Amino acid sequence: MIALWWLLACGGGAERELTVLAAASLTDAYQDMALAFEQAHPGVDVVLSVAGSQTLATQIRHGIGADVFASANEAHIRAVADEGLVAAPRALARNALVLAVRSDTHPVEFAALDEVGSLVVGDTDVPVGRYTATLLDAAEQSYGEAWRAGVEARVVSREPSVRLVAAKVAMGEADAALVYATDARAVPGLRAIAVPATEQPPEYFHARLTDSTHPELAEAWLAFVESAEGQRILAEHGFDAP
Amino acid sequence: MSAAARVVPIAGWLLVVLLVLPVIGLVAGTAPGELVGALGSPSTLAALAVSLRTTFVALAIIILLGTPLAWTLSRQATHPVVLTLVELPVVLPPAVLGVALLETFGRAGWLGPVLAGIGVQLPFTAAAVVLAQVLVGAPLYVLTATEAFRAADDDLLLVARTLGASPSRAWLTVALPAAAPGVLSAAALAWARALGEFGATLMFAGNLPGRTQTLPLAIYGALERDVAQARAISVLLVGVALALLLAVRVLGGRRG
């Protein structure tokens, strides 16, 4: 048994490990971020754990033992901050919603969204789905109730992750999807079409976990993400400054 | 009693404890009020209905097609390649299986145009849910039922034939009763696996409440919204599975 435990435990090996819990849509940007951070801090190994923001919040509530939390919306990180599990959250980046279609098909106008063959959106349980609902609510004011009903009738799936939404269109199973601009950019074969801006764009927040075993390293990570270099990496992946 | 004789049962029970502890943790962490709330929510009931409807159709397909295969495999030394091919979907990660289903039966999949030609579009439909469930459940059924059918004695079948029974009657009265407990637990295993299917369903059938959202998908969605509700739906899923698996065991035990 002890030998088996050892088998699982070995393989790490770096002197200091920084565990970063990040929202799924930050995956690509944070992989680059981790590499740059490791270069700037020799001997530090950044471990990225990506999932939906609420799943990450749940893991924090159950004492997952991590150092930093980056959430795709404010509500989830405020909730764990109110429980004293993370320090005061700070904004790190913004995103935008876009309409994504396959780049080998005809572009679609957002105003004609009720005429696409099939539409995939995020489930309202996840941030991208809530931003989508907000966008459609606002658009209904301009295009009318019939347009909204038409759009809802085109929805063939409400996916629990923004990457799954994008994948369904990239694989050609659905005609259009509402995703973050960053995902439309990261997933090959997709074309992004602008949609009307909403009052509150998708905004990302991060904070240090209060039970972090490397608090000074966690703070260094937060500062690095907010620094000019961190923001440059985020911009490369299509994020806007907060 | 030798040391080994004492250690072996302890080691065995250790595994039982390990298997049961998370379920106890799940049930203990769920307040009765939460359970009632989850049971009363229309979205949970819709997911339960989708789950029950699709798994029963999947199980029927698995039994109808799997039984002849299991019987055939049990009557001869099975070629290892055939056995491995049947087992393969079990080792594939479900999400990969879902991608494989899309690339085969999806609109842009290689059979997509053929299916479209006869007016069939599988992705995002209940049929896609069933197909995913059949793929993960059937191997378990076929492998377990094959073992059960091996118990059927060829000599006894021959005796039944010489006494004037038709081949199908001999099979139904001699082979099937002998293998019944094993076949029943094969069906229970396949059904349980189909009920818990998540990854392939999400990839291939999507997630639309009332149409393709099964209980495991509803649980995953609820995890992003309200953990208490996710836990409560899970307890419901455990309860449904426990009731059916126990019923099959009791039924199988009586016949055996």
Side-chain angles (χ1 to χ4, degrees), chain A residues 1 52-55 58 62 76 102 118 120 123 125-127 155-160 164 168 171-175, chain B residues 14 99 102-103 106-109 121 123-124 202-209 211 213 220-225 227:
Chain A
M1 283 289 182
S53 302
Q54 176 67 39
T55 300
T58 304
H62 287 86
H76 288 139
R102 259 167 81 115
S118 54
V120 182
D123 196 276
D125 290 337
V126 289
V155 173
V156 290
S157 185
R158 299 180 183 276
E159 303 283 334
L164 285 172
K168 292 280 151 70
M171 292 185 78
E173 296 304 335
D175 296 311
Chain B
L14 203 63
V99 173
L102 277 178
E103 279 169 354
R107 198 167 71 167
Q121 196 172 326
F124 309 121
L202 184 56
M203 284 309 297
F204 186 44
N207 182 48
L208 200 63
R211 199 197 301 173
Q213 188 183 61
Y220 189 72
L223 267 181
E224 288 289 327
R225 175 184 60 233
V227 183

Side-chain angles (χ1 to χ4, degrees), chain B residues 84-242:
Chain B
T84 308
L85 286 179
V86 173
E87 281 169 335
L88 221 47
V90 178
V91 297
L92 276 182
V96 174
L97 197 63
V99 173
L101 279 168
L102 277 178
E103 279 169 354
T104 311
F105 301 107
R107 198 167 71 167
W110 61 276
L111 285 180
V114 181
L115 290 172
I118 53 171
V120 175
Q121 196 172 326
L122 283 175
F124 309 121
T125 64
V129 178
V130 170
L131 195 53
Q133 290 167 344
V134 167
L135 243 76
V136 296
L140 292 176
Y141 177 79
V142 172
L143 295 172
T144 317
T146 302
E147 284 311 308
F149 280 135
R150 286 200 204 281
D153 194 338
D154 274 333
D155 292 342
L156 271 179
L157 274 173
L158 211 61
V159 171
R161 292 294 310 281
T162 54
L163 290 174
S166 67
S168 55
R169 191 176 149 77
W171 189 82
L172 280 174
T173 53
V174 177
L176 193 58
V183 173
L184 269 176
S185 55
L189 265 179
W191 179 80
R193 180 65 189 84
L195 186 68
E197 209 322 290
F198 170 73
T201 310
L202 184 56
M203 284 309 297
F204 186 44
N207 182 48
L208 200 63
R211 199 197 301 173
T212 61
Q213 188 183 61
T214 58
L215 277 179
L217 294 182
I219 291 167
Y220 189 72
L223 267 181
E224 288 289 327
R225 175 184 60 233
D226 175 9
V227 183
Q229 201 192 354
R231 225 165 33 204
I233 313 174
S234 303
V235 172
L236 170 69
L237 184 65
V238 167
V240 171
L242 205 62

